[in-house]
Amino acid sequence: MMLAGIKDYLFWWQLPLIGIIALTWLSAGQILIQRTLRRYTQIPRTKTTTSTCLRLNILGIGAGLLVFIIIASIFMTISWRYNSVPIATVGILIGFIMTLAISFTIISILLNANFKLLLKPVIISAGIFGLLAVVCALAVYLPAYNLRHIRIQKGQRLRYLADLSIAFKTYSTNHNGVPASSLRDLISAKLIDLPPDNSDTDVNPLSAYVYVPVYSEGEETAPQSEKIWVAHFFKPTKEWLVLFTNGQRVVIN
């Protein structure tokens, strides 16, 4: 089941988080590169000036982070299409590895230094910002995925209420106007299946649905259109999903 794109599930608090991470990289990236190069390599200080390290930060780590964004975005889009968290996880992991690889390659070219010599400082500097990018990606994807999953569950339960409405009417017709005494009567009559899984809190999924019979067996008057027929408390959003006897479904906070 597909419910909109991932952009429709973004939260306002994610934008400041992304901004803070970006500002941290821009302001502290060159400092981290400079300190790691001077501490773990013998490269002359004339080649690790602030302006040089700023260039290494923008062109090296910046290029790595850009590749991370592209790869992670592609995999998260695919995972959204197939409703699969592992696909997004693999994409984020590949993006992190590529961040290190791209940063390492560009910095070594710009400094004209040996790969082995730059291994530790690049892993530290690019690795820190790569991990921050991973945190940012997860902070965007996981809440969006969870929200969509909740909406899918809610939609399934609302559809189940609609199916119940049809099943109740069919049962009553097949039994000379006698209403079902419980939801299990409908299942026994093979008019409907068990409700969507609710086993995380209830052993019996039917126990999550409150059924109010339309009228007693000896009563032949038509049911009131505004009478509640079935009510289900949807715990993720703390809402009541209500089916009325006229077939109307309402969500009550």
Side-chain angles (χ1 to χ4, degrees):
M1 179 180 179
M2 290 296 295
L3 285 178
I6 190 172
K7 67 180 185 303
D8 297 304
Y9 295 88
L10 299 181
F11 298 89
W12 66 268
W13 57 263
Q14 293 169 335
L15 295 179
L17 175 63
I18 295 172
I20 290 172
I21 292 177
L23 288 175
T24 301
W25 162 62
L26 289 173
S27 60
Q30 70 270 18
I31 299 175
L32 183 60
I33 291 176
Q34 187 178 58
R35 289 184 177 179
T36 53
L37 286 175
R38 290 180 177 180
R39 180 174 180 178
Y40 297 110
T41 70
Q42 301 299 320
I43 297 177
R45 287 180 173 265
T46 55
K47 297 184 66 176
T48 59
T49 60
T50 300
S51 59
T52 299
C53 290
L54 177 61
R55 186 159 55 96
L56 295 177
N57 184 46
I58 299 296
L59 298 179
I61 297 180
L65 292 176
L66 179 61
V67 170
F68 174 88
I69 293 172
I70 294 173
I71 293 176
S73 298
I74 291 173
F75 274 80
M76 284 193 292
T77 301
I78 295 173
S79 74
W80 198 261
R81 170 65 179 82
Y82 293 101
N83 197 32
S84 173
V85 174
I87 293 178
T89 304
V90 170
I92 291 174
L93 178 60
I94 293 175
F96 176 74
I97 295 173
M98 289 303 298
T99 297
L100 296 179
I102 296 296
S103 300
F104 184 77
T105 301
I106 294 178
I107 290 175
S108 64
I109 292 175
L110 292 175
L111 287 177
N112 192 25
N114 183 275
F115 277 24
K116 186 177 180 180
L117 181 67
L118 295 175
L119 187 61
K120 193 168 186 178
V122 172
I123 287 179
I124 293 175
S125 55
I128 289 176
F129 292 109
L131 288 175
L132 288 176
V134 169
V135 170
C136 185
L138 292 175
V140 170
Y141 181 80
L142 292 180
Y145 182 87
N146 182 61
L147 179 59
R148 187 179 73 156
H149 182 64
I150 289 174
R151 290 184 180 178
I152 290 174
Q153 287 183 318
K154 185 176 178 180
Q156 290 173 338
R157 282 151 179 76
L158 285 171
R159 284 196 302 275
Y160 189 74
L161 290 181
D163 294 339
L164 279 176
S165 178
I166 298 173
F168 278 131
K169 294 174 182 177
T170 304
Y171 184 93
S172 180
T173 300
N174 294 344
H175 292 78
N176 299 319
V178 178
S181 60
S182 67
L183 300 185
R184 189 160 294 282
D185 288 349
L186 304 179
I187 297 173
S188 298
K190 298 183 178 180
L191 295 174
I192 199 167
D193 295 323
L194 284 169
D197 182 36
N198 202 50
S199 58
D200 56 332
T201 54
D202 298 302
V203 176
N204 181 4
L206 289 176
S207 63
Y209 291 78
V210 180
Y211 169 51
V212 182
V214 173
Y215 50 86
S216 63
E217 295 183 10
E219 186 179 353
E220 297 182 357
T221 56
Q224 298 177 3
S225 61
E226 296 182 355
K227 183 179 178 182
I228 292 178
W229 214 351
V230 181
H232 169 63
F233 185 67
F234 188 57
K235 292 184 178 180
T237 58
K238 294 180 171 56
E239 295 173 321
W240 281 99
L241 311 183
V242 179
L243 170 67
F244 289 93
T245 51
N246 62 354
Q248 182 183 12
R249 290 167 294 158
V250 178
V251 178
I252 302 176
N253 295 320

